[in-house]
Amino acid sequence: MASKDVNNYWLNFYNRDNYYRHFILQSNHGDVLTLKGNGHSVIGDSLVYKIADGIHMFQTDAVYRNVNLKGLDSYIDDALVIFKVMKGNVLFVTEDGRERRLNCGDILNAASNFKMLTFHSFHKEVRFVGVTFYYQAMMDAVKNRSLNPSFMEKYYNSHHLRNIFIHEGNYKINQLFEEMEAASRQDNKILMKAKSLELLSASALFYNDFIGLVNKNLSKKKIKLFNDIKEYLDDNLDKYLDMTFIANEFSISLSGLKKLFKEACGISPYIYHLNRRLEKAAMLLEETDYKINHIYKSVGFNYHSNFSRAFQKKYHCTPSRYRNGK
């Protein structure tokens, strides 16, 4: 179990018969713990930042030598952990005896009650960056109004994130890890907190999309290709995109692109992108005072008439009526 002593929160582990000390506390400066591997099972350094109530960010550069976690009991509050392997790779064995490998670039989502028996890195250094979200502390933060309750309900309590899930993420998720690292170097806790909550949200949405595609019996290769193309389309809502250009960009035939989108979401890539552009326009009509001629240009239309026609087909009213109706 993990010691509940404040200065040794993640340090000392033991079960009924054995005592394991994988890290020793090197220094404690306010909300930052500096940890050092004890030289037996772990060699290297780690930092743990408390960036908000219930949210800790961690960074680890270490070699893990067949770390024995068998029989480990945890008294840590119910939590979710999301981390990315920034360097190296590790092999771990799950409670059911199954071996799983994490390669450089892989992201792991797991609940704190997920059990590993062993964990090792082939005597090579591994670098992790991640965030731990503690349930009770986050619920207390909701009561204190420093966290949004609907956010907790929608994302933290998602049962999907409580299953172990290894993936490569998408551009958004990977960018958030980089931004959190940059914020930690600047000691910008406000930005670290914002990015960590974005990461939790993006991870839940990514998982939901992924599982939806798996249930349609798409291969992992097709799922990755679809997600990559969809993400590109989502990042370019300010312009009209020619689908032949998209097909060439992702080394797929135009017919193959259309078939992939038909299988994954039931519509063509052109219609998918058009709908997303119109959804952005609707959001701008609701939430801003921008003039309509500014809005239609910002979502890739050259003429008001074309924009109005497409908008009415989707929302069954003109952009002006849509704005006034809201």
Side-chain angles (χ1 to χ4, degrees), residues 72-87:
L72 182 68
D73 296 318
S74 176
Y75 285 121
I76 296 177
D77 290 337
D78 182 25
L80 297 177
V81 181
I82 304 173
F83 71 78
K84 180 177 179 179
V85 183
M86 311 297 286
K87 174 184 177 183

Side-chain angles (χ1 to χ4, degrees), residues 192-256:
M192 291 166 73
K193 176 184 175 181
K195 295 303 175 182
S196 67
L197 292 175
E198 282 188 58
L199 176 65
L200 183 59
S201 171
S203 295
L205 294 174
F206 177 86
Y207 186 89
N208 288 335
D209 289 345
F210 183 89
I211 292 302
L213 296 175
V214 168
N215 290 339
K216 294 181 179 180
N217 296 317
L218 292 180
S219 67
K220 286 188 176 180
K221 184 177 180 180
K222 279 189 173 183
I223 290 173
K224 185 177 188 315
L225 179 59
F226 172 74
N227 282 330
D228 287 346
I229 297 173
K230 183 168 73 73
E231 186 176 5
Y232 184 89
L233 297 177
D234 289 343
D235 286 340
N236 289 276
L237 300 180
D238 60 338
K239 60 177 71 75
Y240 165 82
L241 292 175
D242 182 87
M243 292 304 131
T244 301
F245 168 79
I246 298 299
N248 291 335
E249 281 290 296
F250 288 90
S251 302
I252 185 174
S253 67
L254 181 59
S255 61

Side-chain angles (χ1 to χ4, degrees), residues 104-309:
C104 182
D106 282 349
I107 297 165
L108 182 141
N109 293 38
S112 60
N113 59 5
F114 166 70
K115 294 293 196 321
M116 295 182 187
L117 302 183
T118 60
F119 190 82
H120 64 96
S121 62
F122 309 99
H123 303 288
K124 294 182 180 180
E125 185 179 274
V126 179
R127 176 167 174 74
F128 299 110
V129 173
V131 186
T132 302
F133 303 89
Y134 296 98
Y135 179 75
Q136 189 55 54
M138 293 184 81
M139 287 303 296
D140 291 342
V142 167
K143 292 177 183 177
N144 295 330
R145 299 186 178 181
S146 58
L147 281 179
N148 189 311
S150 64
F151 176 89
M152 291 285 289
E153 183 64 31
K154 189 173 182 181
Y155 299 115
Y156 186 96
N157 294 328
S158 169
H159 71 278
H160 300 311
L161 291 178
R162 299 184 175 279
N163 301 317
I164 180 172
F165 178 44
I166 299 171
H167 58 94
E168 297 177 359
N170 55 25
Y171 174 79
K172 176 67 173 177
I173 291 174
N174 285 293
Q175 183 183 43
L176 286 169
F177 277 107
E178 293 178 7
E179 291 173 345
M180 283 193 300
E181 268 203 299
S184 69
R185 289 193 293 269
Q186 300 164 8
D187 195 27
N188 187 336
K189 286 190 178 181
I190 294 176
L191 186 58
M192 291 166 73
K193 176 184 175 181
K195 295 303 175 182
S196 67
L197 292 175
E198 282 188 58
L199 176 65
L200 183 59
S201 171
S203 295
L205 294 174
F206 177 86
Y207 186 89
N208 288 335
D209 289 345
F210 183 89
I211 292 302
L213 296 175
V214 168
N215 290 339
K216 294 181 179 180
N217 296 317
L218 292 180
S219 67
K220 286 188 176 180
K221 184 177 180 180
K222 279 189 173 183
I223 290 173
K224 185 177 188 315
L225 179 59
F226 172 74
N227 282 330
D228 287 346
I229 297 173
K230 183 168 73 73
E231 186 176 5
Y232 184 89
L233 297 177
D234 289 343
D235 286 340
N236 289 276
L237 300 180
D238 60 338
K239 60 177 71 75
Y240 165 82
L241 292 175
D242 182 87
M243 292 304 131
T244 301
F245 168 79
I246 298 299
N248 291 335
E249 281 290 296
F250 288 90
S251 302
I252 185 174
S253 67
L254 181 59
S255 61
L257 174 63
K258 292 177 179 178
K259 182 179 179 182
L260 175 63
F261 266 72
K262 192 70 174 177
E263 289 178 327
C265 59
I267 56 177
S268 71
Y270 168 78
I271 294 299
Y272 172 83
H273 190 236
L274 174 63
N275 284 339
R276 293 288 289 114
R277 289 158 60 207
L278 292 171
E279 288 164 7
K280 180 181 177 181
M283 180 272 293
L284 293 173
L285 288 167
E286 285 185 57
E287 300 181 5
T288 75
D289 294 325
Y290 295 151
K291 294 182 178 179
I292 291 177
N293 65 348
H294 172 86
I295 291 175
Y296 77 71
K297 290 176 182 177
S298 71
V299 293
F301 285 87
N302 292 326
Y303 302 102
H304 182 276
S305 59
N306 292 344
F307 168 67
S308 183
R309 190 180 306 114

